[in-house]
Amino acid sequence: YRMKAEIITIGDEILIGQVTDTNSAWIARALNGIGVEIECITAIPDQPEAIKNALDAAANRTDLVMITGGLGPTKDDITKKTLAGYFGSKLVRNEAAVKKIKEFLTLRGVELSNLNLDQAMLPDNCIPVPNRYGTASGMWFKKNGKDFIAMPGVPYEMKSMLTDHILPELQKQFDLPVIIHRTIITQGIPESHLARLLSDFEQQLPEEIRLAYLPSPGLVRLRLSIIGREIRKTEQMIQKALYELMTLIPEYISGLEDESIEKVIAALLVEKGTTLATAESCTGGNIAHLITSVPGSSRYFVGAVVAYSNDIKERILGVKKETIEKHGAVSEPVVKEMASGIRNLYQSDYAIATSGIAGPDGGSVEKPVGTTWIAVASACQIKAEKYLFGDLRATNIQKASVTALNMLRKLIQSEK
Amino acid sequence: YRMKAEIITIGDEILIGQVTDTNSAWIARALNGIGVEIECITAIPDQPEAIKNALDAAANRTDLVMITGGLGPTKDDITKKTLAGYFGSKLVRNEAAVKKIKEFLTLRGVELSNLNLDQAMLPDNCIPVPNRYGTASGMWFKKNGKDFIAMPGVPYEMKSMLTDHILPELQKQFDLPVIIHRTIITQGIPESHLARLLSDFEQQLPEEIRLAYLPSPGLVRLRLSIIGREIRKTEQMIQKALYELMTLIPEYISGLEDESIEKVIAALLVEKGTTLATAESCTGGNIAHLITSVPGSSRYFVGAVVAYSNDIKERILGVKKETIEKHGAVSEPVVKEMASGIRNLYQSDYAIATSGIAGPDGGSVEKPVGTTWIAVASACQIKAEKYLFGDLRATNIQKASVTALNMLRKLIQSEK
């Protein structure tokens, strides 16, 4: 049995490009994780005709239709009436939903309005799906042997609804297959050359397994995907293919796509019971932000000094005035002094320091925009590297942050 | 004349959620900017049947079909054959394309492969669209009075193709209307209450103008959209509606879009020639990151201390040990001492301080996860507020950051 699904996003904000639809990718990953394949992702405006047509088309080609958006207090009018009409039901006041909405608003000290009460009007033939983080209820319909589930578009409301209620229920109701993806990141070889090296491998793959190429700036991802019945056997098959693939191109593999670098760092520091602090100039606190986005980071992250001025670099981090005068703030000696400075000040085991020209201003002929010095330090060593990223500010900040964390990973692993 | 368009993205990586489709939002904004309305955005797998069905459906409901993806050297086989079949043409070697590909690869020191040469095989009835940054040519087809344009999926290749060639050509060929969106950002009032305040305004809007609500953590965006014929008159109409809207809810408006709160703060600080520093516990450097994402922020941002441990709060920021022992780290006195501490240490005019329980651990009955104290300080005053956000770490960090910046905005404006 294979279950096909379509994701429909309702909202003018998607169609004018004001909001990027990130929900669909999240839902696709979540459904794939329990063995559901996505056939199509569709975004449509808040209009009854568009909604009805999209539901018809989706029901025609798939078994499960996931709908997001159109359920906020100012919007649910059109969506709910259209859904009620489509599924031949009428809107009735759901007392359990009224109670939940009242509790939800009271807890947050928000006065109840008629629009909130309207959110408790639900089609009488749907199963309501609880919303832990908002006032819009989810709705699960069944029609002609197909399932239709409408969820709010606010990402964290939708995510908890899906994770806590919908996925477990789908797994209970259906005997779903196993879908696994494994992705290798390659660097230093163009897509067309990789394809030539791997053409025999690709032709000999079992038919359950597919290989895909995903190029992006500076790297090519290679993804193996499999659909199987039994989890252990399916895992073994893809693992075997993955291993064969890796032995064919070992010199081009830079990593597996799995865990973010901040989680890798977290595991390394927790394992050794060590601590980290950052001294950030060009990254402006973004490294600290990435580190502290990991739950439990207070166990190993002491804190940061964002030193956006030379004065702070000198007074707080103890960088010598002469060093800045002689070499400039974006230089190897300064970034090294920043790294030792923060290690001493915050008494951490490891330290990261950054100093660069994020742009768009501040570049020169010798130090163009994108020039970045990064240092990582432990009790035994300080390493510094210079990078030349590019001319986009946001990209420079992100690249410098990820590169710095990766340098720290290598430093920690070299001391194991 | 109104032109409707559909965007079709081809690629399994979108349907398994490995890649978020950011191209479509970008294309939607670009097309809206020249007066084209987007009816539907669709993502489909790399399969001939799916591609043909999507083209049929799109041609049925729109005038212009924009296709991205499926044109890389390892993928274009399926897409190009399907397109050639759909438009009744055959693939022929395009010598101009061969020449371009050879030049492109030579410049980058990459050896030409047969797969690259295959990229020069193009349908004989399309107009090729030059690709400045890659080897895949774009293809413009016309059929039954509709336009179909296929572009590569690599974002920077697609963007330059659209900007340099396709948009100017569409403007030349069609007499397009004017579409304008204006968005106000509101804070401190729930969506349902805003809707009540604005219901009369909404009912009296001219029919060309639509109002939409877009809630996200900590704020609600209000968008006015208009379609008109004549640019000056259309701009005047929406500007008038925008002004009316702003006068109805002045106390809740935190800025205009394209004018994020960090840009509003930037303008206020630059205008007064003043400076800012932050002392961050629960926000972990994210406020500094938001501030420094604005180009030129070194003019007014001195830096930050991320104090993830009590030791740093005491030793660096000068928070008194007794204050923490008596009130706990998440408390009004501590966050106020952090704010004065960073102001003194960094010698800035203004300061922001945060201390809260971002979660998922660390909560208690009196101080549940989400409890956050925020302080803002100037030379004359310190203001602190307590917030109860929720139990999602990433959302708490984002809400606390945006709320803190908004508190600072109000403080600066109150001292004007």
Side-chain angles (χ1 to χ4, degrees), chain A residues 17-18 29 41 43 73-74 111 132-133 183 191 193 223 257 284 288-289 292 302-304 306 308 315 345-346 393, chain B residues 17-18 29 41 43 73-74 111 183 191 193 195 223 257 284 288-289 292 302-306 308 315 345 391 393:
Chain A
Q18 184 171 24
R29 273 196 306 277
I41 297 174
T74 57
E111 196 190 331
R132 194 167 149 198
Y133 296 111
T183 300
E191 182 185 2
H193 291 214
R223 185 188 66 235
E257 184 178 81
H289 168 56
T292 57
V302 189
V306 178
Y308 233 54
R315 274 202 303 121
L345 183 68
Y346 276 31
R393 183 177 180 87
Chain B
Q18 183 169 26
R29 271 197 306 278
I41 297 174
T74 58
E111 197 191 329
T183 300
E191 183 185 3
H193 291 212
R223 186 189 65 234
E257 193 166 73
H289 168 56
T292 57
V302 189
V305 163
V306 179
Y308 233 52
R315 275 203 300 123
L345 184 67
D391 56 4
R393 184 176 182 85

Side-chain angles (χ1 to χ4, degrees), chain A residues 28-47:
Chain A
R29 273 196 306 277
L31 288 178
N32 251 236
I34 63 162
V36 176
E37 294 158 77
I38 312 302
E39 279 289 298
C40 191
I41 297 174
T42 310
I44 53 169
D46 301 288
Q47 290 162 11

Side-chain angles (χ1 to χ4, degrees), chain B residues 278-289:
Chain B
T278 66
E280 307 186 40
S281 182
C282 63
T283 49
N286 191 44
I287 300 177
H289 168 56

Side-chain angles (χ1 to χ4, degrees), chain A residues 265-324:
Chain A
I265 295 288
L268 288 170
L269 293 172
V270 167
E271 186 192 335
K272 296 183 79 173
T274 47
T275 59
L276 170 65
T278 66
E280 308 187 40
S281 183
C282 63
T283 51
N286 191 43
I287 301 177
H289 168 56
L290 291 175
I291 294 168
T292 57
S293 67
V294 179
S297 42
S298 58
R299 276 184 294 171
Y300 50 85
F301 187 60
V302 189
V305 163
V306 178
Y308 233 54
S309 70
N310 288 345
D311 174 56
I312 300 295
K313 290 187 184 78
E314 293 168 18
R315 274 202 303 121
I316 311 292
L317 293 173
V319 174
K320 289 198 274 312
K321 204 179 176 73
E322 312 88 79
T323 317
I324 295 182

Side-chain angles (χ1 to χ4, degrees), chain A residues 56-164:
Chain A
D56 276 341
N60 246 324
R61 58 190 160 213
T62 57
D63 315 296
L64 168 66
V65 184
M66 307 294 292
I67 305 147
T68 60
L71 296 185
T74 57
K75 275 188 176 176
D76 64 349
D77 210 41
I78 288 170
T79 316
K80 275 201 311 205
K81 272 185 195 150
T82 308
L83 290 176
Y86 189 83
F87 295 107
S89 52
K90 59 173 193 288
L91 292 173
V92 294
R93 190 170 148 124
N94 183 305
E95 290 307 326
V98 173
K99 189 160 167 280
K100 283 212 130 186
I101 290 170
K102 283 186 176 164
E103 283 170 10
F104 183 89
L105 294 178
T106 307
L107 201 70
R108 281 158 185 79
V110 175
E111 196 190 331
L112 187 75
S113 81
N114 283 339
L115 282 175
N116 295 130
L117 277 180
D118 287 348
Q119 295 197 281
M121 297 293 290
L122 298 178
D124 58 2
N125 62 350
C126 79
I127 299 167
V129 184
N131 183 349
R132 194 167 149 198
Y133 296 111
T135 48
S137 180
M139 294 170 276
W140 190 322
F141 300 90
K142 288 192 180 265
K143 185 183 176 183
N144 301 334
K146 314 256 169 161
D147 288 78
F148 301 76
I149 307 172
M151 303 177 291
V154 177
Y156 59 94
E157 296 182 24
M158 177 280 289
K159 287 177 188 175
S160 86
M161 200 176 269
L162 197 71
T163 311
D164 299 347

Side-chain angles (χ1 to χ4, degrees), chain B residues 310-328:
Chain B
N310 287 345
D311 174 57
I312 301 296
K313 290 186 184 80
E314 293 167 17
R315 275 203 300 123
I316 311 292
L317 294 173
V319 175
K320 289 196 274 314
K321 202 179 180 69
E322 311 87 79
T323 316
I324 296 183
E325 275 167 5
K326 193 170 169 194
H327 303 278

Side-chain angles (χ1 to χ4, degrees), chain B residues 148-160:
Chain B
F148 301 76
I149 307 172
M151 302 177 289
V154 177
Y156 59 92
E157 296 182 24
M158 177 279 289
K159 287 177 188 177
S160 85

